[in-house]
Amino acid sequence: MLLNHVEIQVSDFEASAKFYDAIFATVGAVRQEDMTPNAIGWGNPQGGPEFWIGQHRFGEGFRESHLAFSAPSREAVDAFVAAAEAQGMEVLHAPRLYPEYQGGPLVAYYAGFVRDPDGNNVEAAHLEFDFAQA
């Protein structure tokens, strides 16, 4: 693994915490550290926090980030998008297969994309591999 963790700054800490709690529940991540109102970290139940939100405190303006989270199944991708939509978030791309991302041992790339409360592009992706084809 190349990354230890990622943190993004959010403008509405409470709304973002609610959003990420809901979507992470669909892909098996849990809230592991809570330092409200400064930071919250989520991760795999068997590891430490990998994704954090922090109160916006540096810089001005907005630059969209793209965040992609692994989902354990296609159904989890569907639930991820539904959880975001239930909170009134924009669905950028409904869940579907992306054959243009497939090749080699990657035989299926199933993903859905939504906006978070700050306007970031947040993706859930389920990748299926067949290493016998490699």
Coordinates of all heavy atoms in Angstrom, one line a residue, residues 36-122:
T36 N -14.2 15.1 17.1 CA -15.1 16.1 16.7 C -14.9 17.3 17.6 O -14.8 17.1 18.8 CB -16.6 15.6 16.8 OG1 -16.7 14.5 15.9 CG2 -17.6 16.7 16.5
P37 N -14.9 18.6 17.1 CA -15.2 19.0 15.8 C -14.0 19.2 14.9 O -14.1 19.9 13.9 CB -15.8 20.4 16.0 CG -15.0 20.9 17.2 CD -14.7 19.7 18.0
N38 N -12.8 18.6 15.2 CA -11.6 18.8 14.4 C -11.4 17.8 13.4 O -10.9 18.1 12.3 CB -10.4 18.9 15.4 CG -10.5 20.1 16.3 OD1 -10.9 21.2 15.9 ND2 -10.3 19.9 17.6
A39 N -11.6 16.5 13.7 CA -11.3 15.5 12.7 C -12.0 14.2 13.1 O -12.3 13.9 14.3 CB -9.8 15.2 12.7
I40 N -12.3 13.4 12.1 CA -12.9 12.0 12.2 C -12.1 11.1 11.2 O -11.9 11.5 10.1 CB -14.4 12.0 12.0 CG1 -15.1 12.8 13.0 CG2 -14.9 10.5 12.0 CD1 -16.6 12.9 12.7
G41 N -11.8 9.9 11.7 CA -11.1 9.0 10.8 C -11.9 7.6 10.7 O -12.4 7.1 11.7
W42 N -12.0 7.1 9.5 CA -12.6 5.8 9.2 C -11.6 4.9 8.6 O -10.7 5.3 7.9 CB -13.8 6.0 8.2 CG -15.0 6.8 8.6 CD1 -16.1 6.3 9.1 CD2 -15.1 8.2 8.6 NE1 -17.0 7.3 9.4 CE2 -16.4 8.5 9.1 CE3 -14.3 9.3 8.1 CZ2 -16.9 9.8 9.1 CZ3 -14.8 10.6 8.3 CH2 -16.1 10.8 8.7
G43 N -11.9 3.6 8.7 CA -11.1 2.6 8.1 C -11.7 1.2 8.1 O -12.8 1.0 8.7
N44 N -10.9 0.3 7.6 CA -11.3 -1.1 7.7 C -11.3 -1.6 9.2 O -10.4 -1.2 9.9 CB -10.2 -1.9 6.9 CG -10.4 -3.4 6.9 OD1 -10.6 -4.0 7.9 ND2 -10.4 -4.0 5.7
P45 N -12.3 -2.4 9.6 CA -12.3 -2.8 11.0 C -11.0 -3.5 11.5 O -10.7 -3.4 12.7 CB -13.5 -3.7 11.1 CG -14.4 -3.4 9.9 CD -13.4 -2.9 8.9
Q46 N -10.2 -4.1 10.6 CA -9.0 -4.7 11.0 C -7.8 -3.8 11.0 O -6.7 -4.3 11.2 CB -8.8 -6.0 10.2 CG -9.7 -7.1 10.4 CD -11.1 -6.9 9.8 OE1 -11.2 -6.4 8.7 NE2 -12.1 -7.3 10.6
G47 N -7.9 -2.6 10.6 CA -6.8 -1.7 10.5 C -7.1 -0.3 11.1 O -8.1 -0.2 11.8
G48 N -6.2 0.6 10.9 CA -6.3 1.9 11.5 C -7.1 2.8 10.5 O -7.4 2.4 9.4
P49 N -7.4 4.0 10.9 CA -8.1 5.0 10.0 C -7.3 5.3 8.8 O -6.1 5.6 8.9 CB -8.3 6.2 10.9 CG -7.7 6.0 12.2 CD -7.1 4.6 12.2
E50 N -7.9 5.2 7.6 CA -7.3 5.5 6.4 C -7.8 6.8 5.7 O -7.1 7.4 4.9 CB -7.5 4.3 5.4 CG -6.9 3.0 5.9 CD -7.5 1.8 5.1 OE1 -7.6 2.0 3.9 OE2 -7.8 0.8 5.7
F51 N -9.0 7.1 6.1 CA -9.6 8.3 5.5 C -10.1 9.2 6.6 O -10.8 8.8 7.5 CB -10.8 7.9 4.6 CG -11.5 9.1 4.0 CD1 -10.9 9.8 2.9 CD2 -12.7 9.6 4.5 CE1 -11.5 10.9 2.4 CE2 -13.3 10.7 4.0 CZ -12.7 11.4 2.9
W52 N -9.8 10.5 6.5 CA -10.1 11.5 7.5 C -10.8 12.7 6.9 O -10.5 13.1 5.8 CB -8.8 12.0 8.2 CG -8.1 11.0 9.0 CD1 -7.3 10.0 8.6 CD2 -8.2 10.9 10.5 NE1 -6.8 9.3 9.7 CE2 -7.3 9.8 10.8 CE3 -8.8 11.6 11.5 CZ2 -7.1 9.5 12.1 CZ3 -8.6 11.2 12.8 CH2 -7.8 10.2 13.1
I53 N -11.7 13.3 7.7 CA -12.2 14.6 7.4 C -11.7 15.6 8.5 O -11.6 15.1 9.6 CB -13.7 14.7 7.2 CG1 -14.5 14.4 8.5 CG2 -14.2 13.9 6.0 CD1 -15.9 14.7 8.5
G54 N -11.4 16.8 8.1 CA -11.0 17.8 9.1 C -11.7 19.1 8.8 O -12.1 19.3 7.6
Q55 N -12.0 19.9 9.8 CA -12.6 21.2 9.6 C -11.8 22.0 8.6 O -10.5 22.1 8.8 CB -12.8 21.9 10.9 CG -13.6 23.1 10.9 CD -15.1 22.8 10.6 OE1 -15.5 22.9 9.5 NE2 -15.8 22.4 11.6
H56 N -12.4 22.7 7.7 CA -11.7 23.5 6.7 C -11.0 24.6 7.5 O -11.6 25.4 8.2 CB -12.7 24.1 5.7 CG -12.0 25.0 4.7 ND1 -12.3 26.3 4.6 CD2 -11.1 24.7 3.8 CE1 -11.5 26.8 3.6 NE2 -10.8 25.8 3.1
R57 N -9.7 24.7 7.3 CA -8.9 25.7 8.1 C -7.8 26.3 7.2 O -7.2 27.3 7.7 CB -8.4 25.1 9.4 CG -7.6 23.9 9.2 CD -7.4 23.1 10.5 NE -6.6 21.9 10.3 CZ -7.0 20.8 9.9 NH1 -8.3 20.6 9.7 NH2 -6.2 19.8 9.6
F58 N -7.5 25.8 6.1 CA -6.4 26.4 5.3 C -6.9 26.7 3.8 O -7.7 25.9 3.3 CB -5.3 25.4 5.2 CG -4.7 24.9 6.5 CD1 -4.9 23.7 6.9 CD2 -4.0 25.8 7.3 CE1 -4.4 23.2 8.2 CE2 -3.5 25.4 8.5 CZ -3.7 24.1 9.0
G59 N -6.4 27.8 3.3 CA -6.7 28.1 1.9 C -8.1 28.6 1.7 O -8.9 28.6 2.5
E60 N -8.2 29.2 0.4 CA -9.5 29.7 0.0 C -10.0 29.1 -1.2 O -9.2 28.5 -2.0 CB -9.4 31.2 -0.2 CG -9.1 32.0 1.1 CD -9.0 33.5 0.9 OE1 -9.7 34.0 0.0 OE2 -8.3 34.1 1.6
G61 N -11.3 29.1 -1.4 CA -11.8 28.6 -2.7 C -12.0 27.0 -2.6 O -11.7 26.4 -1.6
F62 N -12.4 26.5 -3.7 CA -12.7 25.1 -3.8 C -12.0 24.5 -5.0 O -12.1 25.0 -6.1 CB -14.2 24.8 -3.8 CG -14.6 23.4 -4.1 CD1 -14.5 22.4 -3.1 CD2 -15.0 23.0 -5.4 CE1 -14.8 21.1 -3.4 CE2 -15.3 21.7 -5.6 CZ -15.2 20.7 -4.6
R63 N -11.4 23.3 -4.8 CA -10.9 22.5 -5.9 C -11.4 21.1 -5.7 O -11.1 20.5 -4.7 CB -9.3 22.6 -5.9 CG -8.8 23.9 -6.4 CD -7.3 23.9 -6.5 NE -6.7 24.0 -5.2 CZ -5.4 23.9 -5.0 NH1 -4.6 23.6 -6.0 NH2 -4.9 23.9 -3.8
E64 N -12.1 20.6 -6.7 CA -12.7 19.3 -6.6 C -11.7 18.2 -6.4 O -10.6 18.2 -7.1 CB -13.6 19.0 -7.8 CG -14.2 17.6 -7.8 CD -15.0 17.3 -9.1 OE1 -15.7 18.2 -9.5 OE2 -14.9 16.2 -9.6
S65 N -11.9 17.3 -5.5 CA -11.1 16.1 -5.4 C -11.9 14.9 -5.8 O -13.1 14.9 -5.8 CB -10.7 15.9 -3.9 OG -9.9 16.9 -3.4
H66 N -11.2 13.9 -6.3 CA -11.8 12.6 -6.6 C -11.3 11.6 -5.7 O -10.1 11.4 -5.5 CB -11.5 12.2 -8.1 CG -12.0 10.8 -8.4 ND1 -13.4 10.6 -8.5 CD2 -11.4 9.6 -8.6 CE1 -13.5 9.3 -8.8 NE2 -12.4 8.7 -8.8
L67 N -12.3 10.9 -5.0 CA -12.0 9.9 -4.0 C -12.7 8.6 -4.4 O -13.9 8.6 -4.6 CB -12.5 10.3 -2.6 CG -12.1 11.7 -2.1 CD1 -12.9 12.2 -1.0 CD2 -10.6 11.7 -1.8
A68 N -11.9 7.5 -4.5 CA -12.5 6.2 -4.9 C -12.3 5.3 -3.7 O -11.1 5.1 -3.3 CB -11.9 5.7 -6.2
F69 N -13.4 4.6 -3.3 CA -13.3 3.7 -2.2 C -13.7 2.3 -2.7 O -14.6 2.1 -3.5 CB -14.3 4.1 -1.1 CG -13.9 5.4 -0.5 CD1 -14.6 6.6 -0.8 CD2 -12.8 5.6 0.4 CE1 -14.3 7.8 -0.3 CE2 -12.5 6.8 0.9 CZ -13.2 7.9 0.6
S70 N -13.0 1.3 -2.2 CA -13.2 -0.1 -2.6 C -14.5 -0.6 -2.0 O -14.8 -0.3 -0.8 CB -12.1 -1.0 -2.1 OG -10.9 -0.7 -2.8
A71 N -15.3 -1.3 -2.8 CA -16.5 -1.9 -2.3 C -16.4 -3.4 -2.4 O -15.8 -3.9 -3.4 CB -17.7 -1.4 -3.2
P72 N -16.9 -4.2 -1.5 CA -16.8 -5.6 -1.5 C -17.6 -6.4 -2.5 O -17.4 -7.5 -2.8 CB -17.1 -6.1 -0.1 CG -18.0 -5.0 0.4 CD -17.6 -3.7 -0.2
S73 N -18.6 -5.7 -3.1 CA -19.5 -6.3 -4.1 C -20.2 -5.2 -4.9 O -20.2 -4.1 -4.6 CB -20.6 -7.1 -3.3 OG -21.4 -6.3 -2.6
R74 N -20.8 -5.7 -6.0 CA -21.6 -4.8 -6.8 C -22.8 -4.2 -6.0 O -23.2 -3.1 -6.1 CB -22.1 -5.5 -8.1 CG -21.0 -5.8 -9.0 CD -21.5 -6.5 -10.3 NE -20.4 -6.9 -11.2 CZ -20.6 -7.3 -12.4 NH1 -21.8 -7.3 -13.0 NH2 -19.5 -7.7 -13.1
E75 N -23.4 -5.1 -5.2 CA -24.5 -4.7 -4.3 C -24.1 -3.6 -3.4 O -24.8 -2.6 -3.1 CB -25.1 -5.9 -3.5 CG -25.7 -6.9 -4.4 CD -24.8 -7.8 -5.1 OE1 -23.6 -7.9 -4.8 OE2 -25.2 -8.5 -6.1
A76 N -22.8 -3.6 -2.9 CA -22.3 -2.6 -2.0 C -22.2 -1.2 -2.7 O -22.4 -0.2 -2.2 CB -21.0 -3.0 -1.4
V77 N -21.8 -1.3 -4.0 CA -21.7 -0.1 -4.8 C -23.1 0.5 -5.0 O -23.3 1.7 -4.8 CB -21.1 -0.4 -6.2 CG1 -21.2 0.8 -7.1 CG2 -19.6 -0.8 -6.1
D78 N -24.1 -0.3 -5.2 CA -25.5 0.1 -5.4 C -25.9 0.8 -4.1 O -26.6 1.9 -4.1 CB -26.4 -1.0 -5.7 CG -26.1 -1.6 -7.1 OD1 -25.5 -1.0 -7.9 OD2 -26.6 -2.7 -7.3
A79 N -25.6 0.2 -2.9 CA -26.0 0.7 -1.6 C -25.3 2.0 -1.3 O -25.9 2.9 -0.7 CB -25.7 -0.4 -0.5
F80 N -24.1 2.1 -1.7 CA -23.3 3.3 -1.5 C -23.9 4.5 -2.2 O -24.2 5.6 -1.6 CB -21.9 3.1 -2.1 CG -20.9 4.2 -2.1 CD1 -19.9 4.2 -1.1 CD2 -20.8 5.1 -3.1 CE1 -18.9 5.2 -1.1 CE2 -19.9 6.1 -3.1 CZ -18.9 6.2 -2.1
V81 N -24.3 4.3 -3.5 CA -25.0 5.4 -4.2 C -26.3 5.7 -3.6 O -26.7 6.9 -3.5 CB -25.0 5.0 -5.7 CG1 -25.9 6.0 -6.5 CG2 -23.6 5.0 -6.3
A82 N -27.1 4.7 -3.2 CA -28.4 4.9 -2.6 C -28.3 5.6 -1.3 O -29.1 6.5 -1.0 CB -29.1 3.5 -2.4
A83 N -27.3 5.3 -0.5 CA -27.1 6.0 0.8 C -26.8 7.5 0.5 O -27.3 8.4 1.3 CB -25.9 5.4 1.6
A84 N -26.0 7.8 -0.5 CA -25.7 9.2 -0.8 C -26.9 9.9 -1.3 O -27.3 11.1 -0.9 CB -24.6 9.3 -1.8
E85 N -27.7 9.3 -2.2 CA -28.9 9.8 -2.8 C -29.9 10.1 -1.7 O -30.6 11.1 -1.7 CB -29.4 8.9 -3.9 CG -30.4 9.5 -4.8 CD -30.7 8.7 -6.0 OE1 -30.6 7.4 -5.9 OE2 -31.1 9.3 -7.0
A86 N -30.0 9.2 -0.7 CA -31.0 9.3 0.4 C -30.7 10.6 1.2 O -31.6 11.1 1.9 CB -31.0 8.1 1.3
Q87 N -29.5 11.1 1.2 CA -29.1 12.3 1.9 C -29.2 13.5 1.0 O -28.8 14.6 1.4 CB -27.7 12.2 2.4 CG -27.6 11.2 3.5 CD -26.3 11.2 4.2 OE1 -25.8 12.3 4.6 NE2 -25.6 10.1 4.2
G88 N -29.7 13.4 -0.2 CA -29.9 14.5 -1.1 C -28.7 14.8 -1.9 O -28.7 15.9 -2.6
M89 N -27.7 13.9 -2.0 CA -26.5 14.2 -2.7 C -26.7 13.9 -4.2 O -27.5 13.0 -4.5 CB -25.3 13.3 -2.2 CG -24.9 13.6 -0.8 SD -24.3 15.3 -0.5 CE -25.6 15.9 0.6
E90 N -26.0 14.6 -5.1 CA -26.1 14.4 -6.5 C -25.4 13.1 -6.9 O -24.3 12.8 -6.5 CB -25.4 15.6 -7.2 CG -25.4 15.5 -8.7 CD -24.6 16.5 -9.4 OE1 -24.0 17.4 -8.7 OE2 -24.5 16.5 -10.6
V91 N -26.1 12.3 -7.7 CA -25.5 11.1 -8.3 C -24.9 11.6 -9.7 O -25.6 12.0 -10.6 CB -26.6 10.0 -8.6 CG1 -25.9 8.8 -9.3 CG2 -27.2 9.6 -7.2
L92 N -23.6 11.5 -9.7 CA -22.9 11.9 -11.0 C -23.0 10.8 -12.0 O -23.2 11.1 -13.2 CB -21.4 12.1 -10.7 CG -21.1 13.3 -9.7 CD1 -19.7 13.3 -9.3 CD2 -21.6 14.6 -10.3
H93 N -22.8 9.5 -11.6 CA -22.9 8.4 -12.5 C -23.5 7.2 -11.7 O -22.9 6.8 -10.8 CB -21.5 8.0 -13.1 CG -20.8 9.1 -13.8 ND1 -21.2 9.5 -15.0 CD2 -19.8 9.8 -13.4 CE1 -20.4 10.5 -15.4 NE2 -19.5 10.7 -14.4
A94 N -24.7 6.8 -12.2 CA -25.3 5.6 -11.5 C -24.4 4.4 -11.7 O -23.6 4.3 -12.6 CB -26.7 5.4 -12.2
P95 N -24.5 3.5 -10.7 CA -23.7 2.3 -10.8 C -23.8 1.5 -12.1 O -24.9 1.3 -12.6 CB -24.2 1.4 -9.7 CG -24.8 2.4 -8.7 CD -25.4 3.4 -9.6
R96 N -22.7 1.1 -12.7 CA -22.7 0.4 -13.9 C -21.3 -0.2 -14.1 O -20.3 0.2 -13.5 CB -23.0 1.2 -15.1 CG -22.0 2.3 -15.5 CD -22.4 3.0 -16.8 NE -21.5 4.0 -17.2 CZ -20.4 3.9 -17.9 NH1 -20.0 2.7 -18.4 NH2 -19.6 4.9 -18.3
L97 N -21.2 -1.1 -15.1 CA -19.9 -1.6 -15.5 C -19.1 -0.6 -16.4 O -19.8 0.1 -17.2 CB -20.0 -2.9 -16.3 CG -20.3 -4.1 -15.5 CD1 -20.7 -5.3 -16.4 CD2 -19.1 -4.5 -14.7
Y98 N -17.8 -0.5 -16.2 CA -17.0 0.4 -17.0 C -16.0 -0.4 -17.8 O -14.9 -0.6 -17.4 CB -16.2 1.4 -16.1 CG -17.2 2.5 -15.6 CD1 -18.0 2.3 -14.5 CD2 -17.2 3.7 -16.3 CE1 -18.8 3.3 -14.1 CE2 -18.1 4.7 -15.9 CZ -18.9 4.5 -14.7 OH -19.7 5.5 -14.3
P99 N -16.4 -0.9 -19.0 CA -15.5 -1.8 -19.8 C -14.3 -1.1 -20.2 O -13.2 -1.8 -20.4 CB -16.4 -2.3 -21.0 CG -17.5 -1.3 -21.0 CD -17.7 -0.8 -19.6
E100 N -14.3 0.2 -20.3 CA -13.1 1.0 -20.8 C -12.0 0.9 -19.7 O -10.8 1.2 -20.0 CB -13.5 2.4 -21.1 CG -14.0 3.2 -20.0 CD -15.5 3.2 -19.8 OE1 -16.2 2.2 -20.2 OE2 -16.1 4.2 -19.3
Y101 N -12.3 0.5 -18.5 CA -11.3 0.4 -17.4 C -10.8 -1.0 -17.3 O -9.9 -1.3 -16.5 CB -11.9 0.8 -16.1 CG -12.3 2.3 -16.0 CD1 -13.2 2.7 -15.0 CD2 -11.9 3.2 -16.9 CE1 -13.6 4.0 -14.9 CE2 -12.3 4.5 -16.8 CZ -13.2 4.9 -15.8 OH -13.6 6.2 -15.7
Q102 N -11.4 -2.0 -18.0 CA -11.0 -3.4 -17.9 C -9.9 -3.7 -18.9 O -9.7 -3.1 -19.9 CB -12.3 -4.2 -18.2 CG -13.4 -4.0 -17.2 CD -14.8 -4.5 -17.6 OE1 -15.7 -4.1 -17.0 NE2 -14.8 -5.4 -18.5
G103 N -9.2 -4.8 -18.5 CA -8.1 -5.3 -19.4 C -7.2 -6.1 -18.5 O -7.1 -6.0 -17.3
G104 N -6.5 -7.1 -19.2 CA -5.6 -8.0 -18.5 C -6.4 -8.8 -17.5 O -7.5 -9.2 -17.8
P105 N -5.9 -8.9 -16.2 CA -6.7 -9.7 -15.2 C -7.9 -9.0 -14.7 O -8.7 -9.6 -14.1 CB -5.6 -9.9 -14.1 CG -4.7 -8.8 -14.3 CD -4.6 -8.5 -15.7
L106 N -8.0 -7.7 -14.9 CA -9.2 -6.9 -14.5 C -10.3 -7.2 -15.5 O -10.4 -6.6 -16.6 CB -8.9 -5.4 -14.3 CG -10.1 -4.5 -13.9 CD1 -10.6 -5.0 -12.5 CD2 -9.7 -3.1 -13.8
V107 N -11.3 -8.0 -15.1 CA -12.4 -8.4 -16.0 C -13.7 -7.7 -15.8 O -14.6 -7.7 -16.6 CB -12.6 -10.0 -15.9 CG1 -11.4 -10.7 -16.4 CG2 -13.0 -10.4 -14.5
A108 N -13.8 -7.0 -14.6 CA -15.0 -6.2 -14.4 C -14.7 -5.1 -13.4 O -14.1 -5.3 -12.4 CB -16.1 -7.1 -13.8
Y109 N -15.1 -3.8 -13.9 CA -14.9 -2.6 -13.0 C -16.3 -2.1 -12.9 O -16.9 -1.5 -13.9 CB -14.0 -1.6 -13.7 CG -13.6 -0.4 -12.9 CD1 -12.3 -0.4 -12.4 CD2 -14.5 0.6 -12.6 CE1 -11.9 0.7 -11.6 CE2 -14.1 1.7 -11.8 CZ -12.8 1.7 -11.3 OH -12.4 2.8 -10.6
Y110 N -16.9 -2.2 -11.7 CA -18.3 -1.8 -11.5 C -18.2 -0.6 -10.5 O -17.7 -0.8 -9.4 CB -19.1 -2.9 -10.9 CG -20.6 -2.6 -10.7 CD1 -21.5 -2.8 -11.8 CD2 -21.1 -2.3 -9.5 CE1 -22.8 -2.5 -11.7 CE2 -22.5 -2.0 -9.4 CZ -23.3 -2.1 -10.4 OH -24.7 -1.9 -10.3
A111 N -18.8 0.5 -10.8 CA -18.6 1.7 -10.0 C -19.8 2.6 -10.1 O -20.6 2.6 -11.0 CB -17.4 2.4 -10.3
G112 N -20.0 3.5 -9.0 CA -20.9 4.5 -9.0 C -20.3 5.8 -8.4 O -19.4 5.6 -7.6
F113 N -20.7 6.9 -8.9 CA -20.1 8.2 -8.5 C -21.1 9.2 -7.9 O -22.2 9.3 -8.5 CB -19.4 8.8 -9.7 CG -18.3 8.0 -10.3 CD1 -18.7 6.9 -11.1 CD2 -17.0 8.3 -10.1 CE1 -17.7 6.2 -11.8 CE2 -16.0 7.5 -10.7 CZ -16.4 6.5 -11.6
V114 N -20.8 9.8 -6.8 CA -21.7 10.8 -6.2 C -20.9 12.0 -5.8 O -19.7 12.0 -5.8 CB -22.4 10.2 -5.0 CG1 -23.3 9.0 -5.4 CG2 -21.5 9.9 -3.9
R115 N -21.6 13.1 -5.4 CA -21.0 14.3 -4.8 C -21.1 14.2 -3.3 O -22.1 13.7 -2.8 CB -21.7 15.6 -5.3 CG -21.5 15.9 -6.7 CD -20.5 17.0 -6.9 NE -20.4 17.3 -8.3 CZ -19.3 17.2 -9.0 NH1 -18.1 16.8 -8.4 NH2 -19.2 17.5 -10.3
D116 N -20.1 14.7 -2.6 CA -20.2 14.8 -1.1 C -20.7 16.2 -0.8 O -20.9 17.0 -1.7 CB -18.9 14.4 -0.5 CG -17.8 15.5 -0.5 OD1 -18.0 16.6 -1.1 OD2 -16.7 15.3 0.0
P117 N -20.9 16.5 0.5 CA -21.5 17.8 0.8 C -20.6 19.0 0.3 O -21.1 20.1 0.2 CB -21.6 17.8 2.3 CG -21.8 16.4 2.6 CD -20.9 15.6 1.6
D118 N -19.3 18.8 0.1 CA -18.5 19.9 -0.4 C -18.3 19.9 -1.9 O -17.6 20.8 -2.4 CB -17.1 19.8 0.3 CG -17.1 20.4 1.7 OD1 -17.2 21.6 1.8 OD2 -17.0 19.6 2.6
G119 N -19.0 19.0 -2.6 CA -18.9 19.0 -4.1 C -17.8 18.1 -4.6 O -17.6 18.0 -5.8
N120 N -17.1 17.3 -3.8 CA -16.1 16.3 -4.3 C -16.8 15.2 -5.0 O -17.9 14.8 -4.7 CB -15.3 15.8 -3.1 CG -14.4 16.9 -2.5 OD1 -13.6 17.5 -3.2 ND2 -14.6 17.2 -1.3
N121 N -16.1 14.6 -5.9 CA -16.5 13.4 -6.7 C -16.1 12.2 -5.9 O -14.9 11.9 -5.8 CB -15.8 13.5 -8.1 CG -16.1 12.3 -8.9 OD1 -16.5 11.2 -8.5 ND2 -15.9 12.5 -10.2
V122 N -17.1 11.4 -5.4 CA -16.8 10.3 -4.5 C -17.3 9.0 -5.2 O -18.5 9.0 -5.6 CB -17.4 10.5 -3.1 CG1 -17.0 9.3 -2.2 CG2 -16.9 11.8 -2.5

